[in-house]
Amino acid sequence: AAFGIWTEAGAEDIGVLAVGFILSRALNGFGICTFPCAKNSGLAATFAQAADRKRCQIVLVIEILLCIAGMLLIDPLRGTTAAVAVVCLCCRRMAIKTFGGITGDIQGFFLQICELAMAYVVILQ
């Protein structure tokens, strides 16, 4: 799916999607600092336990807002649709409801879905 959509990318899409990669990773980090872990061991739990959660949340919220602002500055229409595509936070809800929290694998899944959704929304509009 990713290969297929990226073959359709034009030069006008690249700037917004480049910032989208940063945005998806900031959202990923925010999830690790904010959402409960499904188990006490594993990569996500290790990062979550080692983090100063409040400080990480503040820094990542600022980074998320800057990414969205940057996407809007680069291209208002594509930036808006890409920011709306970040509603992949449904993955978080599913993780908590189904697994009792997040894991490293679920975070990786979220990252892939978020980047794929942003690419589809930006490139196919």
Side-chain angles (χ1 to χ4, degrees):
F3 176 76
I5 192 62
W6 279 100
T7 60
E8 297 299 316
E12 66 278 1
D13 303 321
I14 301 302
V16 171
L17 290 174
V19 177
F21 281 117
I22 300 166
L23 176 61
S24 65
R25 281 155 176 78
L27 286 167
N28 212 344
F30 183 78
I32 289 174
C33 293
T34 305
F35 298 107
C37 292
K39 55 186 180 177
N40 292 330
S41 62
L43 194 56
T46 301
F47 283 121
Q49 292 166 357
D52 178 355
R53 289 179 184 240
K54 270 293 185 219
R55 184 173 292 160
C56 285
Q57 288 171 344
I58 292 168
V59 169
L60 289 167
V61 165
I62 292 168
E63 186 175 341
I64 290 166
L65 293 174
L66 288 172
C67 285
I68 292 171
M71 293 166 91
L72 292 172
L73 284 173
I74 293 169
D75 187 327
L77 180 60
R78 284 182 173 79
T80 302
T81 56
V84 170
V86 174
V87 179
C88 290
L89 294 175
C90 296
C91 290
R92 305 283 190 229
R93 182 172 187 231
M94 177 270 308
I96 293 169
K97 187 176 179 182
T98 306
F99 301 104
I102 59 167
T103 65
D105 289 338
I106 292 171
Q107 290 300 102
F109 170 77
F110 165 74
L111 187 71
Q112 293 299 308
I113 294 298
C114 185
E115 290 175 357
L116 187 61
M118 279 193 278
Y120 270 95
V121 169
V122 170
I123 295 168
L124 294 180
Q125 64 158 321

